[in-house]
Every structure is written in structure tokens, then in C-alpha cells.
Amino acid sequence: MAEPVASTIDNQWPPPLPDASGFVAPPVPGLAAAVAAFAGACARDPAGALRVVGRSLWLLAIAAICVPAHSLHRQLGIPSPWARRFLGWNARACGIRVRSIGQPVSRNVFYISNHLSWTDALILGGQTGTVFVAQDGIAIWPGLAFVCRLNDTIFVNRSDRMGVPAQIVAMRTQFMRHSRIAMFPEATCSDGRRLRPFKAPLFAMLIPPPPGATLQPVVIDCDEAGRNLGWVGMETGAANAWRLLSRPGTWEARVHFLEPFSPADLPDRKALSARARTAIAAKLSETLGGRPVA
């Protein structure tokens, strides 16, 4: 059933996103600056600070269980279920109730999904155990970088055209190892009320596709609280994490696994991108009560 849309946005659809033109992400703060910023946030919102501390301790406890177990599996050279558990349990600790709708393809699959926030990795990874393709800017944040490397995330630099062949090789190598890769071809976050244009070059590794590969479109559909937590505009990662962790209660994310198709049936990356986007846009519109998303 489609989630009711808040009346505050009924006059314009989709509601405008915050203006991020000219935004340059600030550098990762040093320890002293981070502590000062945290103390200031705690002073402004003591109740929220208690929730942040409680959820952070929960996240640390999950890491204390999952990381050693995952490392042991790797040292023994056996498949590890612990990265998937780590991501799924982290989603719950962040207050996200995840519901899966449809049947995910379990092997030799590229998941193509819309993108709301860094929490999409927790949501989709916890449901599938997939490896992700992410922009290399994420790697500068210690916490996110740790989670990404734990799950063998493939970092790409969209501005490095000379490095594209090497990035394709890296993706193909990880696909051979894990047989599941997820991409967010919007290449930026949104608010779940629209679908941005897809970056067709991200589909380059599927031309030609690895033997037996399947492409499965995925829609991450959140309730109104989740949409309002989208990482958009000029908000920093730290500010978005604070909003998420300090929020009372929980919110729901529904993961719709759509009809898979073979990338071998399409002639080029633009056709692949267009077919995946059409399927995702149709389902996303349906979850929003038929409102247009593109």
C-alpha cells in the first residue's frame, strides 16, 4: 500500500530539494573539532544526544560481534555471513525496520537501485549480502570507509576517465568473487519522491555482461519519516547521521525486488540504463500513489 504523502507538500510535486549548487563537502574534522561539535549538538538536544549515545553503543556491540567473526572466516578462506548480518543489524540499531517485497536473485546478479542515503547500504546489504559500488569520496569518512571495506565495496571516481578501464576490471573481479553487486546509478542521493537521471557509464562493465549475469531493478521505498531523512542538499554526512540516530522511534524501509532481466538482451549501456530506470520509476510512482517521479 502506498504511503500517504504529507499535506505540506501537496501544493507542489515533487517538493523542491534544498539548493546544493556550489556546495563543497568540508574536510573530515580533527578529533578536537569533532568533540567540540558533538558537545555542541548534545547541548542543543540533550534527549537526542542520549539516543545517539545509546544507538552508538548498540552499533559498537554489533561490530564487536561481527568484525572478529568475519575476519576469522576470511582467514580460513570460507564464505562469511557476517558482513550481511553486520549491515542488517546496523540498520535495526539505526531505527530502520526493513521489509522485503518480491524475490531477490541470489547469485550472478547486479542490483540496480534508487538512492536516498548512506543507509541504503545497510538496508539492501542486510537483505542480500551484496557488494556495493560507491563513489570514492565516501572513503574519506573513517566510519563509513570501515563499513565499506568490511563489505569489499568498490570505490569509483566518476571524474577519472582514464581510470575507467581499471574500475571495470575491479568490478568484474569482485563480481567473480561475490556474484552480487549493487549500484546506485543516480550517483547521488534523493528523497524517495523522485528519480534522478541515471549515469549510463556505470553500466559499462555489463557490456559485454559476464556469463550468466542477471540485472535486477530494486526500489527502496521508505515511509514519510524515512524520506525526510534523505541525505540531500548541503547537509554533511555527520549532520545526517545525527538526525538519524537522534530521532525517536523507528521508521520503515520497504525493499521491492522487481522482475530481473538479462543484460545480454540489450545492445549497449544506455539501453540497459533506460530499461532499469523505467522499471524503477514505475514501481516508485506506484508506491507514491501514482504520483510522477521523473
Side-chain angles (χ1 to χ4, degrees):
M1 181 180 295
E3 180 73 20
V5 179
S7 59
T8 55
I9 61 175
D10 282 345
N11 293 332
Q12 182 178 358
W13 186 266
L17 292 174
D19 182 17
S21 57
F23 175 66
V24 177
V28 178
L31 179 59
V35 170
F38 180 75
C42 291
R44 291 189 296 271
D45 182 10
L50 288 176
R51 287 187 286 269
V52 170
V53 171
R55 283 178 167 153
S56 297
L57 291 174
W58 189 355
L59 293 169
L60 288 173
I62 292 170
I65 295 169
C66 294
V67 173
H70 181 66
S71 299
L72 179 60
H73 277 70
R74 286 200 162 180
Q75 290 171 9
L76 296 175
I78 57 179
S80 171
W82 288 98
R84 178 176 180 176
R85 291 171 182 169
F86 177 81
L87 295 172
W89 294 351
N90 269 259
R92 190 67 187 88
C94 289
I96 309 170
R97 294 175 284 107
V98 182
R99 183 156 60 95
S100 181
I101 301 170
Q103 183 62 45
V105 177
S106 60
R107 293 187 58 81
N108 297 328
V109 59
F110 290 87
Y111 301 114
I112 307 299
S113 176
N114 62 318
H115 195 20
L116 283 79
S117 177
W118 55 274
T119 55
D120 294 343
L122 309 181
I123 293 167
L124 185 54
Q127 294 296 298
T128 64
T130 183
V131 169
F132 291 91
V133 177
Q135 56 181 321
D136 59 357
I138 292 176
I140 68 172
W141 289 93
L144 284 179
F146 171 78
V147 172
C148 288
R149 292 195 169 93
L150 183 73
N151 198 47
D152 291 331
T153 296
I154 306 156
F155 292 110
V156 297
N157 184 342
R158 298 196 307 273
S159 63
D160 181 15
R161 296 184 180 275
M162 298 298 292
V164 168
Q167 293 171 7
I168 291 174
V169 169
M171 285 191 279
R172 285 183 173 270
T173 299
Q174 289 290 43
F175 185 74
M176 294 296 293
R177 287 183 58 197
H178 295 278
S179 79
R180 295 182 297 272
I181 289 181
M183 297 191 294
F184 302 112
E186 291 170 282
T188 188
C189 298
S190 185
D191 62 355
R193 302 181 182 101
R194 73 201 75 222
L195 191 64
R196 296 179 186 267
F198 279 10
K199 307 295 184 184
L202 289 174
F203 292 82
M205 74 154 294
L206 291 168
I207 305 297
T214 295
L215 193 152
Q216 185 169 34
V218 177
V219 170
I220 299 176
D221 156 41
C222 300
D223 61 20
E224 197 65 15
R227 295 182 192 118
N228 290 335
L229 287 167
W231 186 10
V232 295
M234 295 190 289
E235 185 176 43
T236 64
N240 185 264
W242 179 275
R243 280 204 301 130
L244 175 76
L245 298 175
S246 65
R247 182 186 180 278
T250 63
W251 52 278
E252 185 177 63
R254 299 167 288 266
V255 186
H256 301 261
F257 293 95
L258 307 183
E259 187 69 26
F261 62 91
S262 171
D265 295 339
L266 295 166
D268 54 40
R269 64 192 187 187
K270 290 185 178 180
L272 281 174
S273 173
R275 177 162 175 179
R277 191 179 186 280
T278 297
I280 291 170
K283 174 56 70 172
L284 186 58
S285 175
E286 179 185 317
T287 68
L288 292 166
R291 290 180 181 270
V293 298

